[in-house]
Amino acid sequence: MSSVRSSSYRRTVSDHFEPQDESDPAAHRRLRGLLEQIDYTAFASNREVVAQMLGPVDVAKFQRLALAAAHARAAWVGEGLALAGRSHLLTPEQTSRLGQLRATFEELTEVYEAMRRMVERGYLHCGPAVDG
């Protein structure tokens, strides 16, 4: 499924083929079987590659990522508040800096959501927090 993001609004669009012609049930079953094989291949590939590249995942990794996103959000909003208190008209440099801080927050938030989806879909196994 793909998603389109504009500002803070996300619209989800399904890009999977959904046959409308149900006049040939055997052809429909064959197509569904093929699509299931394709989906399973994508699942198996993701599970293998993602787990290999990211290694073991535990709650502590999620916590570190959530803290990084929280710090980025606070930096972005704090900078915005500080700028608003100094002047009514932002310079292009100030606006650029604010945009960079927002982009950092949004990227970390997307990473968190992506990692959560990987656990949800079974690409990664998430165990309890590991001490040490």
Side-chain angles (χ1 to χ4, degrees):
M1 209 179 305
S2 64
S3 72
V4 177
R5 186 174 182 145
S6 118
S7 184
S8 62
Y9 169 58
R10 179 179 289 165
R11 175 176 49 111
T12 303
V13 180
S14 176
D15 60 356
H16 292 287
F17 171 71
E18 295 181 16
Q20 300 300 318
D21 181 19
E22 297 188 24
S23 60
D24 186 354
H28 185 69
R29 281 192 302 277
R30 281 192 304 274
L31 179 58
R32 283 284 172 216
L34 176 62
L35 293 173
E36 284 179 19
Q37 283 181 317
I38 291 168
D39 286 345
Y40 181 77
T41 299
F43 165 78
S45 298
N46 273 289
R47 187 177 55 196
E48 180 182 338
V49 171
V50 168
Q52 181 181 7
M53 290 186 74
L54 298 182
V57 176
D58 60 12
V59 175
K61 284 189 178 180
F62 275 95
Q63 182 181 17
R64 286 192 298 274
L65 198 49
L67 283 170
H71 283 286
R73 175 186 278 161
W76 169 44
V77 172
E79 182 75 10
L81 289 172
L83 290 172
R86 285 188 228 137
S87 79
H88 294 293
L89 185 60
L90 300 181
T91 68
E93 293 80 18
Q94 290 170 324
T95 303
S96 178
R97 169 82 176 135
L98 202 54
Q100 290 169 348
L101 290 170
R102 178 182 40 87
T104 299
F105 162 66
E106 288 177 351
E107 287 301 322
L108 286 168
T109 300
E110 289 294 323
V111 170
Y112 177 89
E113 289 298 324
M115 198 162 87
R116 187 179 185 286
R117 260 189 320 276
M118 287 182 228
V119 171
E120 201 173 69
R121 292 179 178 174
Y123 304 156
L124 283 175
H125 172 72
C126 184
V130 179
D131 293 336

